[in-house]
Amino acid sequence: MNKLNHDCLTLVFEVIYNDKNSLYPCLLVNRLWCKIAVPILWRNPWEVITKPYGNLEKIKKARIFFNIVLLHLPEESRLLLKSQDTDKTKRRNPLLNYIFNYVFIKNQKIDILKKPQQKPLFNYISFCKYIKYQLFGQNFYEKVFRHYDNRYIKLLEQEIYKLLINKCYNIKCLDTMGVKYPLYKFPGAEICFAKLYELYCSSKDDSSLFYGLAKICRFIERFYIYLTTSNSGLAKLIETQQKVKYLTIRNKISHQFIRGNYGDIGSAVLKHSHNIIYLSLPIENFSPFYNFFFPKFINLKKFKLYNQIFDIFDIELYKNFYNYPKLQVLQINLLYSATFYAVNRIIQESENDLQIISMDFNANLFTDQLLCRISQHCSNLKYLRIDLDDMYLHNFEQVLLNCQSLEGIFIYHYRDGNYLPEIGDNLLKILINSSPLSLFKIDIGSYNIYKIHSLRNFFENWVGRKSMWLSSINIYDYDKMNNDFNEMIEYYKHIGVIKKYKDFCFINVYNEFKF
């Protein structure tokens, strides 16, 4: 029975993993619950630090985390750090040095350079499956330990990496952007990185680091690469993996590099082209490499394209966007002429397989054509996010009529403050008359403002349909009608017309889409 209870609790805790407010109290129920919850919470402690808090709050959480980490330091590391903690180490502020070096845990003041009087209740480090390096774009360690000089910070950083690599078994995700240490040489590296699944890196990183990891890692499936130049070590690491499935490229690179073929990194990626199911990268429209790069990814399921600062387009390029028979999710950022031609071709060749289309930023110039393409070639579409100009409402209505599997819509438009409730009324009428029965997730708050009586008519006509998930709505004459609006929302929630209001976030639909 204890085994069954343990397994059941583990499953329950995994389900509520993203709801930390519900998971944290589980630590206090009893010893068994605590024993199960701690490894789950410590799987990715960096996630808590990097949540969208203010910078000061992030630093505060990072300090708490690192103080716990430092409790696990072996004696040899502690002695090494203590030997360097002399007058030669120029602290930037004696007061800050005192404050940052100590933390009150169970009313005990703990010096991070001394062996703790009491061991932690758990070997927290062993539960970590993620090793991160950056905090809001900067080195974690420089932020947290900025009261020390750079030499001491580097030494401390090195010893923490040694600790993590020696104690963390089967790391899932590693961030090497900016890392200067030969992590593959540290004790325990072969066990720590043997099952590495996800890598965040930069082509600026030391090539020898990638060569070293290439001797250990064989199962990396996800690469997130900040690409600025060629890197033979990174190319080798990519090439030696058994099956790369997810590839994200961000770049800021010279014309000369782009005009080539992404160097040896591009060649290594192409060796996995038939295995890759997720691809996110800029469409560099002046690069002849893409003429044969894109057609290779025949098993893509999610494709994300975005423009760089250039929009000079070789008309021959879009002809090479072949049919992707398994493509289900298409995301487009900065939709200008380059991405438009590519997206137009992909949608046209999709054979009604696309399930999610998301278009960010101003697509106004191409909305008419894109909606026509979606209406004609995406009959199985489930989710649509698009910038909708008022003059194309009739095209949007055709999408509703032809895409009878549609479950969610995110309709927005940038108006520079020029909101007219009559336009919002027109959208509501179209939704009443033409929405498929499958539609229930509706985010139209960023499109326009709405009259309260028009919304009431909209809700009345929704009676008998599937309860909707409705994002936040902006109403006309808010100051006078706010109370009436809130009462109306509560009424329609009570009778089952609205299931969720405000707490529905459309962006999670395609970010959490599973293949």
Side-chain angles (χ1 to χ4, degrees):
M1 180 61 70
N2 287 336
K3 179 67 175 176
L4 178 62
N5 287 341
H6 186 285
D7 292 343
C8 289
L9 286 171
T10 300
L11 290 173
V12 171
F13 291 172
E14 290 290 354
V15 169
I16 63 174
Y17 173 75
N18 292 321
D19 184 4
K20 296 299 189 293
N21 290 331
S22 297
L23 190 54
Y24 286 142
C26 297
L27 295 167
L28 306 177
V29 174
N30 57 41
R31 185 178 180 84
L32 176 62
W33 284 48
C34 181
K35 187 177 179 180
I36 298 171
V38 165
I40 295 175
L41 286 168
W42 270 83
R43 180 187 303 156
N44 184 11
W46 318 88
E47 181 183 44
V48 177
I49 299 172
T50 56
K51 278 189 174 181
Y53 307 108
N55 284 356
L56 291 177
E57 184 67 18
K58 287 181 180 179
I59 294 173
K60 178 181 177 181
K61 289 181 177 294
R63 288 182 194 138
I64 294 172
F65 167 70
F66 278 112
N67 270 289
I68 297 174
V69 169
L70 291 169
L71 293 176
H72 293 75
L73 277 179
E75 186 63 21
E76 55 268 27
S77 294
R78 203 175 296 277
L79 290 174
L80 176 61
L81 289 168
K82 190 174 182 179
S83 69
Q84 300 299 314
D85 186 36
T86 65
D87 292 338
K88 295 180 180 179
T89 302
K90 296 180 180 179
R91 297 187 176 93
R92 300 169 186 172
N93 187 309
L95 178 60
L96 286 178
N97 173 59
Y98 176 82
I99 295 173
F100 292 164
N101 262 298
Y102 295 92
V103 60
F104 284 91
I105 300 178
K106 296 182 178 179
N107 296 322
Q108 292 181 349
K109 191 165 62 177
I110 300 176
D111 187 340
I112 63 174
L113 297 180
K114 292 182 180 180
K115 185 176 180 179
Q117 297 179 357
Q118 182 177 346
K119 290 183 178 181
L121 293 176
F122 295 89
N123 185 4
Y124 297 104
I125 301 300
S126 66
F127 303 135
C128 292
K129 300 299 180 185
Y130 293 75
I131 297 181
K132 297 284 189 178
Y133 181 76
Q134 295 194 358
L135 179 64
F136 39 88
Q138 297 186 32
N139 186 325
F140 267 115
Y141 304 90
E142 291 177 358
K143 280 286 185 181
V144 176
F145 302 105
R146 62 177 181 262
H147 49 290
Y148 286 120
D149 68 9
N150 290 332
R151 183 181 61 85
Y152 195 81
I153 290 175
K154 294 301 180 185
L155 180 62
L156 179 61
E157 187 179 333
Q158 172 187 283
E159 295 307 302
I160 290 177
Y161 267 113
K162 287 182 179 179
L163 169 68
L164 292 172
I165 291 172
N166 192 37
K167 297 296 184 181
C168 299
Y169 308 113
N170 298 325
I171 283 293
K172 179 180 179 182
C173 176
L174 175 66
D175 174 7
T176 65
M177 290 188 187
V179 173
K180 305 297 183 183
Y181 311 103
L183 305 183
Y184 59 94
K185 291 183 178 180
F186 290 172
E190 291 189 3
I191 296 176
C192 180
F193 300 131
K195 295 183 180 179
L196 188 64
Y197 172 78
E198 186 172 2
L199 180 68
Y200 287 73
C201 61
S202 168
S203 58
K204 286 184 177 180
D205 294 337
D206 190 347
S207 183
S208 64
L209 172 61
F210 297 124
Y211 276 118
L213 290 175
K215 296 178 181 179
I216 302 173
C217 307
R218 292 291 184 272
F219 305 104
I220 303 178
E221 293 188 3
R222 293 178 180 264
F223 279 90
Y224 186 105
I225 305 171
Y226 186 73
L227 192 58
T228 58
T229 183
S230 184
N231 187 312
S232 59
L234 178 55
K236 181 66 174 179
L237 179 60
I238 296 172
E239 183 180 338
T240 56
Q241 302 313 300
Q242 290 188 6
K243 189 177 289 187
V244 177
K245 292 184 177 180
Y246 308 86
L247 176 64
T248 298
I249 292 178
R250 296 290 180 266
N251 61 15
K252 186 178 180 182
I253 48 187
S254 67
H255 288 203
Q256 289 76 18
F257 182 54
I258 299 172
R259 286 195 185 103
N261 58 357
Y262 275 166
D264 40 13
I265 294 176
S267 300
V269 167
L270 284 177
K271 292 184 178 180
H272 296 279
S273 59
H274 286 195
N275 295 322
I276 291 177
I277 61 175
Y278 173 88
L279 183 63
S280 173
L281 76 173
I283 173 172
E284 298 295 355
N285 36 57
F286 42 80
S287 173
F289 178 55
Y290 283 4
N291 284 329
F292 62 89
F293 191 81
F294 283 117
K296 302 292 184 181
F297 299 95
I298 60 175
N299 290 315
L300 276 183
K301 293 185 178 180
K302 184 173 181 178
F303 199 0
K304 183 174 181 178
L305 286 171
Y306 63 94
N307 271 89
Q308 294 292 81
I309 59 175
F310 305 100
D311 198 40
I312 306 168
F313 188 71
D314 179 0
I315 198 66
E316 295 298 317
L317 176 59
Y318 86 95
K319 296 180 180 178
N320 290 289
F321 282 82
Y322 286 37
N323 179 31
Y324 301 106
K326 299 181 181 179
L327 189 64
Q328 300 174 41
V329 181
L330 183 60
Q331 268 185 267
I332 307 101
N333 287 48
L334 295 177
L335 187 62
Y336 297 117
S337 62
T339 42
F340 166 70
Y341 287 111
V343 169
N344 191 52
R345 177 64 186 270
I346 292 172
I347 293 176
Q348 189 174 349
E349 299 290 337
S350 67
E351 296 183 358
N352 294 315
D353 293 318
L354 280 171
Q355 296 186 33
I356 298 177
I357 297 177
S358 172
M359 301 181 190
D360 290 323
F361 299 100
N362 187 11
N364 193 23
L365 295 174
F366 313 106
T367 303
D368 184 17
Q369 298 177 63
L370 285 171
L371 287 173
C372 287
R373 287 286 182 265
I374 293 170
S375 177
Q376 294 167 2
H377 301 285
C378 301
S379 60
N380 293 320
L381 190 68
K382 290 185 176 180
Y383 298 96
L384 174 65
R385 172 188 170 112
I386 194 168
D387 178 5
L388 182 62
D389 191 279
D390 310 329
M391 68 180 72
Y392 302 129
L393 279 173
H394 64 285
N395 299 93
F396 173 66
E397 185 171 18
Q398 285 302 308
V399 170
L400 294 177
L401 292 171
N402 294 342
C403 301
Q404 289 295 302
S405 298
L406 203 60
E407 296 180 8
I409 55 170
F410 187 138
I411 307 301
Y412 66 99
H413 190 55
Y414 298 107
R415 300 181 181 276
D416 295 326
N418 187 22
Y419 291 93
L420 299 174
E422 292 76 16
I423 297 174
D425 291 349
N426 291 336
L427 177 61
L428 293 176
K429 291 175 183 177
I430 288 175
L431 290 174
I432 291 172
N433 296 326
S434 304
S435 293
L437 293 176
S438 55
L439 183 66
F440 69 100
K441 297 177 182 178
I442 300 174
D443 190 334
I444 54 175
S446 301
Y447 176 72
N448 211 310
I449 57 176
Y450 304 89
K451 295 178 181 177
I452 192 168
H453 70 83
S454 299
L455 284 168
R456 182 175 287 108
N457 182 55
F458 173 59
F459 295 143
E460 283 295 327
N461 280 276
W462 206 267
V463 173
R465 295 172 56 111
K466 187 172 183 177
S467 297
M468 70 173 70
W469 297 10
L470 184 66
S471 67
S472 181
I473 291 288
N474 297 312
I475 60 171
Y476 177 69
D477 207 3
Y478 175 84
D479 293 337
K480 294 181 180 179
M481 306 301 296
N482 185 39
N483 290 335
D484 292 343
F485 173 74
N486 291 332
E487 291 177 2
M488 180 181 69
I489 292 294
E490 290 303 316
Y491 170 74
Y492 285 107
K493 286 174 69 174
H494 177 70
I495 67 173
V497 171
I498 301 174
K499 183 175 183 179
K500 294 183 178 182
Y501 179 65
K502 284 189 177 181
D503 56 352
F504 164 56
C505 183
F506 188 91
I507 196 171
N508 293 333
V509 170
Y510 50 86
N511 283 342
E512 298 174 1
F513 187 79
K514 305 297 182 182
F515 302 125

mmCIF file of all heavy atoms in Angstrom, residues 220-253:
data_model
loop_
_atom_site.group_PDB
_atom_site.id
_atom_site.type_symbol
_atom_site.label_atom_id
_atom_site.label_comp_id
_atom_site.label_asym_id
_atom_site.label_seq_id
_atom_site.Cartn_x
_atom_site.Cartn_y
_atom_site.Cartn_z
ATOM 1 N N ILE A 220 21.334 14.200 -27.156
ATOM 2 C CA ILE A 220 20.769 15.554 -27.170
ATOM 3 C C ILE A 220 19.772 15.658 -28.312
ATOM 4 O O ILE A 220 20.112 15.435 -29.467
ATOM 5 C CB ILE A 220 21.871 16.619 -27.337
ATOM 6 C CG1 ILE A 220 22.912 16.503 -26.225
ATOM 7 C CG2 ILE A 220 21.250 18.019 -27.332
ATOM 8 C CD1 ILE A 220 24.064 17.490 -26.352
ATOM 9 N N GLU A 221 18.527 16.010 -27.964
ATOM 10 C CA GLU A 221 17.472 16.141 -28.970
ATOM 11 C C GLU A 221 17.103 17.591 -29.241
ATOM 12 O O GLU A 221 16.557 17.903 -30.298
ATOM 13 C CB GLU A 221 16.224 15.371 -28.537
ATOM 14 C CG GLU A 221 16.415 13.863 -28.504
ATOM 15 C CD GLU A 221 15.121 13.122 -28.272
ATOM 16 O OE1 GLU A 221 14.051 13.775 -28.193
ATOM 17 O OE2 GLU A 221 15.160 11.879 -28.161
ATOM 18 N N ARG A 222 17.390 18.467 -28.283
ATOM 19 C CA ARG A 222 17.018 19.885 -28.426
ATOM 20 C C ARG A 222 18.271 20.759 -28.403
ATOM 21 O O ARG A 222 19.048 20.716 -27.449
ATOM 22 C CB ARG A 222 16.084 20.323 -27.293
ATOM 23 C CG ARG A 222 14.717 19.665 -27.316
ATOM 24 C CD ARG A 222 13.899 20.131 -26.120
ATOM 25 N NE ARG A 222 12.573 19.544 -26.090
ATOM 26 C CZ ARG A 222 11.480 20.117 -26.567
ATOM 27 N NH1 ARG A 222 11.564 21.336 -27.091
ATOM 28 N NH2 ARG A 222 10.312 19.518 -26.503
ATOM 29 N N PHE A 223 18.430 21.571 -29.445
ATOM 30 C CA PHE A 223 19.513 22.547 -29.498
ATOM 31 C C PHE A 223 18.914 23.946 -29.619
ATOM 32 O O PHE A 223 18.070 24.192 -30.480
ATOM 33 C CB PHE A 223 20.427 22.304 -30.701
ATOM 34 C CG PHE A 223 21.457 21.229 -30.493
ATOM 35 C CD1 PHE A 223 21.172 19.911 -30.806
ATOM 36 C CD2 PHE A 223 22.705 21.539 -29.981
ATOM 37 C CE1 PHE A 223 22.114 18.915 -30.613
ATOM 38 C CE2 PHE A 223 23.664 20.556 -29.793
ATOM 39 C CZ PHE A 223 23.365 19.238 -30.111
ATOM 40 N N TYR A 224 19.344 24.842 -28.730
ATOM 41 C CA TYR A 224 19.017 26.264 -28.837
ATOM 42 C C TYR A 224 20.350 26.966 -29.051
ATOM 43 O O TYR A 224 21.186 27.035 -28.145
ATOM 44 C CB TYR A 224 18.323 26.767 -27.574
ATOM 45 C CG TYR A 224 17.826 28.196 -27.670
ATOM 46 C CD1 TYR A 224 16.476 28.465 -27.830
ATOM 47 C CD2 TYR A 224 18.710 29.271 -27.616
ATOM 48 C CE1 TYR A 224 16.020 29.765 -27.926
ATOM 49 C CE2 TYR A 224 18.268 30.572 -27.717
ATOM 50 C CZ TYR A 224 16.922 30.813 -27.865
ATOM 51 O OH TYR A 224 16.474 32.107 -27.964
ATOM 52 N N ILE A 225 20.582 27.503 -30.257
ATOM 53 C CA ILE A 225 21.886 28.015 -30.641
ATOM 54 C C ILE A 225 21.809 29.504 -30.959
ATOM 55 O O ILE A 225 21.019 29.924 -31.803
ATOM 56 C CB ILE A 225 22.436 27.269 -31.873
ATOM 57 C CG1 ILE A 225 22.478 25.762 -31.623
ATOM 58 C CG2 ILE A 225 23.828 27.784 -32.233
ATOM 59 C CD1 ILE A 225 22.803 24.949 -32.863
ATOM 60 N N TYR A 226 22.642 30.295 -30.262
ATOM 61 C CA TYR A 226 22.824 31.687 -30.651
ATOM 62 C C TYR A 226 23.999 31.698 -31.619
ATOM 63 O O TYR A 226 25.157 31.532 -31.230
ATOM 64 C CB TYR A 226 23.098 32.561 -29.429
ATOM 65 C CG TYR A 226 23.156 34.031 -29.766
ATOM 66 C CD1 TYR A 226 21.995 34.727 -30.071
ATOM 67 C CD2 TYR A 226 24.364 34.706 -29.795
ATOM 68 C CE1 TYR A 226 22.036 36.075 -30.396
ATOM 69 C CE2 TYR A 226 24.415 36.054 -30.119
ATOM 70 C CZ TYR A 226 23.243 36.733 -30.418
ATOM 71 O OH TYR A 226 23.290 38.061 -30.744
ATOM 72 N N LEU A 227 23.686 31.880 -32.889
ATOM 73 C CA LEU A 227 24.653 31.654 -33.952
ATOM 74 C C LEU A 227 25.239 32.973 -34.435
ATOM 75 O O LEU A 227 24.535 33.830 -34.962
ATOM 76 C CB LEU A 227 23.965 30.923 -35.112
ATOM 77 C CG LEU A 227 24.835 30.343 -36.207
ATOM 78 C CD1 LEU A 227 25.826 29.347 -35.649
ATOM 79 C CD2 LEU A 227 23.964 29.680 -37.272
ATOM 80 N N THR A 228 26.539 33.139 -34.236
ATOM 81 C CA THR A 228 27.221 34.354 -34.676
ATOM 82 C C THR A 228 28.385 34.053 -35.606
ATOM 83 O O THR A 228 28.823 34.923 -36.346
ATOM 84 C CB THR A 228 27.760 35.137 -33.474
ATOM 85 O OG1 THR A 228 28.655 34.300 -32.735
ATOM 86 C CG2 THR A 228 26.632 35.595 -32.572
ATOM 87 N N THR A 229 28.881 32.838 -35.557
ATOM 88 C CA THR A 229 30.024 32.463 -36.379
ATOM 89 C C THR A 229 30.094 30.941 -36.445
ATOM 90 O O THR A 229 29.332 30.243 -35.772
ATOM 91 C CB THR A 229 31.321 33.027 -35.785
ATOM 92 O OG1 THR A 229 32.411 32.714 -36.650
ATOM 93 C CG2 THR A 229 31.603 32.428 -34.412
ATOM 94 N N SER A 230 30.988 30.443 -37.235
ATOM 95 C CA SER A 230 31.173 29.006 -37.318
ATOM 96 C C SER A 230 31.877 28.496 -36.064
ATOM 97 O O SER A 230 32.599 29.230 -35.382
ATOM 98 C CB SER A 230 31.999 28.660 -38.556
ATOM 99 O OG SER A 230 32.117 27.268 -38.714
ATOM 100 N N ASN A 231 31.647 27.218 -35.727
ATOM 101 C CA ASN A 231 32.293 26.603 -34.568
ATOM 102 C C ASN A 231 32.404 25.110 -34.836
ATOM 103 O O ASN A 231 31.406 24.392 -34.793
ATOM 104 C CB ASN A 231 31.479 26.872 -33.299
ATOM 105 C CG ASN A 231 32.175 26.411 -32.031
ATOM 106 O OD1 ASN A 231 32.670 25.297 -31.949
ATOM 107 N ND2 ASN A 231 32.201 27.283 -31.035
ATOM 108 N N SER A 232 33.601 24.641 -35.106
ATOM 109 C CA SER A 232 33.795 23.243 -35.483
ATOM 110 C C SER A 232 33.444 22.289 -34.350
ATOM 111 O O SER A 232 32.955 21.180 -34.588
ATOM 112 C CB SER A 232 35.250 23.010 -35.925
ATOM 113 O OG SER A 232 36.156 23.349 -34.882
ATOM 114 N N GLY A 233 33.666 22.714 -33.104
ATOM 115 C CA GLY A 233 33.321 21.869 -31.970
ATOM 116 C C GLY A 233 31.829 21.680 -31.840
ATOM 117 O O GLY A 233 31.343 20.567 -31.599
ATOM 118 N N LEU A 234 31.066 22.770 -31.989
ATOM 119 C CA LEU A 234 29.611 22.684 -31.934
ATOM 120 C C LEU A 234 29.084 21.824 -33.074
ATOM 121 O O LEU A 234 28.160 21.016 -32.890
ATOM 122 C CB LEU A 234 29.002 24.086 -31.992
ATOM 123 C CG LEU A 234 27.479 24.173 -31.987
ATOM 124 C CD1 LEU A 234 26.881 23.444 -30.799
ATOM 125 C CD2 LEU A 234 27.029 25.637 -32.000
ATOM 126 N N ALA A 235 29.667 21.980 -34.261
ATOM 127 C CA ALA A 235 29.264 21.148 -35.398
ATOM 128 C C ALA A 235 29.489 19.672 -35.091
ATOM 129 O O ALA A 235 28.654 18.819 -35.405
ATOM 130 C CB ALA A 235 30.038 21.559 -36.642
ATOM 131 N N LYS A 236 30.623 19.357 -34.473
ATOM 132 C CA LYS A 236 30.930 17.974 -34.117
ATOM 133 C C LYS A 236 29.926 17.432 -33.114
ATOM 134 O O LYS A 236 29.474 16.284 -33.220
ATOM 135 C CB LYS A 236 32.350 17.898 -33.545
ATOM 136 C CG LYS A 236 32.804 16.499 -33.147
ATOM 137 C CD LYS A 236 32.925 15.583 -34.360
ATOM 138 C CE LYS A 236 33.513 14.236 -33.974
ATOM 139 N NZ LYS A 236 33.627 13.327 -35.142
ATOM 140 N N LEU A 237 29.574 18.253 -32.124
ATOM 141 C CA LEU A 237 28.611 17.829 -31.107
ATOM 142 C C LEU A 237 27.260 17.532 -31.739
ATOM 143 O O LEU A 237 26.620 16.519 -31.422
ATOM 144 C CB LEU A 237 28.476 18.914 -30.040
ATOM 145 C CG LEU A 237 27.476 18.640 -28.912
ATOM 146 C CD1 LEU A 237 27.846 17.386 -28.146
ATOM 147 C CD2 LEU A 237 27.401 19.843 -27.974
ATOM 148 N N ILE A 238 26.799 18.408 -32.629
ATOM 149 C CA ILE A 238 25.528 18.185 -33.316
ATOM 150 C C ILE A 238 25.582 16.898 -34.147
ATOM 151 O O ILE A 238 24.663 16.079 -34.137
ATOM 152 C CB ILE A 238 25.174 19.387 -34.208
ATOM 153 C CG1 ILE A 238 24.947 20.639 -33.353
ATOM 154 C CG2 ILE A 238 23.943 19.096 -35.065
ATOM 155 C CD1 ILE A 238 24.793 21.909 -34.152
ATOM 156 N N GLU A 239 26.667 16.745 -34.847
ATOM 157 C CA GLU A 239 26.815 15.598 -35.758
ATOM 158 C C GLU A 239 26.804 14.269 -35.016
ATOM 159 O O GLU A 239 26.260 13.279 -35.516
ATOM 160 C CB GLU A 239 28.121 15.749 -36.532
ATOM 161 C CG GLU A 239 28.374 14.669 -37.559
ATOM 162 C CD GLU A 239 29.683 14.889 -38.291
ATOM 163 O OE1 GLU A 239 30.171 16.037 -38.323
ATOM 164 O OE2 GLU A 239 30.227 13.902 -38.823
ATOM 165 N N THR A 240 27.374 14.209 -33.816
ATOM 166 C CA THR A 240 27.512 12.941 -33.102
ATOM 167 C C THR A 240 26.253 12.512 -32.360
ATOM 168 O O THR A 240 26.216 11.401 -31.810
ATOM 169 C CB THR A 240 28.671 13.021 -32.093
ATOM 170 O OG1 THR A 240 28.457 14.126 -31.200
ATOM 171 C CG2 THR A 240 30.003 13.202 -32.806
ATOM 172 N N GLN A 241 25.229 13.361 -32.330
ATOM 173 C CA GLN A 241 24.001 12.975 -31.637
ATOM 174 C C GLN A 241 23.215 11.958 -32.466
ATOM 175 O O GLN A 241 23.221 11.994 -33.689
ATOM 176 C CB GLN A 241 23.136 14.195 -31.345
ATOM 177 C CG GLN A 241 23.847 15.244 -30.505
ATOM 178 C CD GLN A 241 24.565 14.672 -29.300
ATOM 179 O OE1 GLN A 241 23.953 14.060 -28.429
ATOM 180 N NE2 GLN A 241 25.882 14.860 -29.256
ATOM 181 N N GLN A 242 22.512 11.088 -31.766
ATOM 182 C CA GLN A 242 21.771 10.040 -32.469
ATOM 183 C C GLN A 242 20.555 10.582 -33.205
ATOM 184 O O GLN A 242 20.268 10.157 -34.322
ATOM 185 C CB GLN A 242 21.338 8.952 -31.470
ATOM 186 C CG GLN A 242 22.491 8.117 -30.940
ATOM 187 C CD GLN A 242 22.021 6.934 -30.124
ATOM 188 O OE1 GLN A 242 20.823 6.647 -30.022
ATOM 189 N NE2 GLN A 242 22.963 6.227 -29.517
ATOM 190 N N LYS A 243 19.842 11.521 -32.574
ATOM 191 C CA LYS A 243 18.611 11.998 -33.208
ATOM 192 C C LYS A 243 18.260 13.392 -32.692
ATOM 193 O O LYS A 243 17.632 13.547 -31.634
ATOM 194 C CB LYS A 243 17.452 11.037 -32.932
ATOM 195 C CG LYS A 243 16.194 11.328 -33.726
ATOM 196 C CD LYS A 243 15.115 10.285 -33.457
ATOM 197 C CE LYS A 243 15.471 8.951 -34.081
ATOM 198 N NZ LYS A 243 14.351 7.976 -33.966
ATOM 199 N N VAL A 244 18.648 14.419 -33.431
ATOM 200 C CA VAL A 244 18.266 15.794 -33.094
ATOM 201 C C VAL A 244 16.861 16.043 -33.630
ATOM 202 O O VAL A 244 16.608 15.876 -34.815
ATOM 203 C CB VAL A 244 19.250 16.811 -33.694
ATOM 204 C CG1 VAL A 244 18.790 18.241 -33.392
ATOM 205 C CG2 VAL A 244 20.657 16.577 -33.153
ATOM 206 N N LYS A 245 15.957 16.467 -32.742
ATOM 207 C CA LYS A 245 14.555 16.651 -33.133
ATOM 208 C C LYS A 245 14.108 18.116 -33.096
ATOM 209 O O LYS A 245 13.177 18.487 -33.816
ATOM 210 C CB LYS A 245 13.635 15.839 -32.210
ATOM 211 C CG LYS A 245 13.759 14.330 -32.361
ATOM 212 C CD LYS A 245 12.734 13.643 -31.474
ATOM 213 C CE LYS A 245 12.778 12.135 -31.644
ATOM 214 N NZ LYS A 245 11.769 11.465 -30.782
ATOM 215 N N TYR A 246 14.723 18.922 -32.238
ATOM 216 C CA TYR A 246 14.267 20.290 -32.035
ATOM 217 C C TYR A 246 15.450 21.240 -32.225
ATOM 218 O O TYR A 246 16.490 21.082 -31.573
ATOM 219 C CB TYR A 246 13.693 20.469 -30.625
ATOM 220 C CG TYR A 246 12.632 19.456 -30.262
ATOM 221 C CD1 TYR A 246 12.975 18.222 -29.730
ATOM 222 C CD2 TYR A 246 11.283 19.741 -30.449
ATOM 223 C CE1 TYR A 246 12.011 17.289 -29.388
ATOM 224 C CE2 TYR A 246 10.302 18.821 -30.111
ATOM 225 C CZ TYR A 246 10.672 17.589 -29.589
ATOM 226 O OH TYR A 246 9.709 16.674 -29.256
ATOM 227 N N LEU A 247 15.274 22.233 -33.083
ATOM 228 C CA LEU A 247 16.362 23.155 -33.379
ATOM 229 C C LEU A 247 15.839 24.591 -33.390
ATOM 230 O O LEU A 247 14.909 24.922 -34.126
ATOM 231 C CB LEU A 247 16.988 22.838 -34.742
ATOM 232 C CG LEU A 247 18.082 23.794 -35.224
ATOM 233 C CD1 LEU A 247 19.289 23.740 -34.297
ATOM 234 C CD2 LEU A 247 18.489 23.462 -36.660
ATOM 235 N N THR A 248 16.447 25.434 -32.547
ATOM 236 C CA THR A 248 16.158 26.860 -32.529
ATOM 237 C C THR A 248 17.449 27.613 -32.797
ATOM 238 O O THR A 248 18.461 27.368 -32.139
ATOM 239 C CB THR A 248 15.581 27.298 -31.173
ATOM 240 O OG1 THR A 248 14.340 26.623 -30.945
ATOM 241 C CG2 THR A 248 15.346 28.800 -31.147
ATOM 242 N N ILE A 249 17.413 28.524 -33.762
ATOM 243 C CA ILE A 249 18.582 29.325 -34.103
ATOM 244 C C ILE A 249 18.230 30.800 -33.966
ATOM 245 O O ILE A 249 17.225 31.260 -34.504
ATOM 246 C CB ILE A 249 19.072 29.036 -35.536
ATOM 247 C CG1 ILE A 249 19.648 27.615 -35.631
ATOM 248 C CG2 ILE A 249 20.119 30.055 -35.963
ATOM 249 C CD1 ILE A 249 20.103 27.238 -37.034
ATOM 250 N N ARG A 250 19.039 31.507 -33.216
ATOM 251 C CA ARG A 250 18.963 32.960 -33.155
ATOM 252 C C ARG A 250 20.312 33.473 -33.633
ATOM 253 O O ARG A 250 21.344 32.900 -33.302
ATOM 254 C CB ARG A 250 18.690 33.452 -31.731
ATOM 255 C CG ARG A 250 17.331 33.010 -31.206
ATOM 256 C CD ARG A 250 16.221 33.737 -31.937
ATOM 257 N NE ARG A 250 14.911 33.321 -31.450
ATOM 258 C CZ ARG A 250 14.186 32.359 -31.995
ATOM 259 N NH1 ARG A 250 14.667 31.681 -33.016
ATOM 260 N NH2 ARG A 250 13.003 32.054 -31.526
ATOM 261 N N ASN A 251 20.331 34.542 -34.404
ATOM 262 C CA ASN A 251 21.628 34.962 -34.915
ATOM 263 C C ASN A 251 21.763 36.465 -35.025
ATOM 264 O O ASN A 251 20.787 37.208 -35.053
ATOM 265 C CB ASN A 251 21.931 34.295 -36.258
ATOM 266 C CG ASN A 251 20.907 34.659 -37.327
ATOM 267 O OD1 ASN A 251 20.134 35.596 -37.170
ATOM 268 N ND2 ASN A 251 20.906 33.916 -38.409
ATOM 269 N N LYS A 252 23.006 36.862 -35.081
ATOM 270 C CA LYS A 252 23.396 38.240 -35.377
ATOM 271 C C LYS A 252 24.735 38.118 -36.069
ATOM 272 O O LYS A 252 25.795 38.234 -35.461
ATOM 273 C CB LYS A 252 23.509 39.069 -34.104
ATOM 274 C CG LYS A 252 23.774 40.546 -34.372
ATOM 275 C CD LYS A 252 23.836 41.314 -33.071
ATOM 276 C CE LYS A 252 24.088 42.793 -33.326
ATOM 277 N NZ LYS A 252 24.210 43.559 -32.065
ATOM 278 N N ILE A 253 24.680 37.838 -37.343
ATOM 279 C CA ILE A 253 25.886 37.426 -38.053
ATOM 280 C C ILE A 253 26.103 38.240 -39.315
ATOM 281 O O ILE A 253 25.197 38.901 -39.820
ATOM 282 C CB ILE A 253 25.821 35.926 -38.410
ATOM 283 C CG1 ILE A 253 24.482 35.592 -39.051
ATOM 284 C CG2 ILE A 253 26.019 35.088 -37.195
ATOM 285 C CD1 ILE A 253 24.269 34.125 -39.274
#
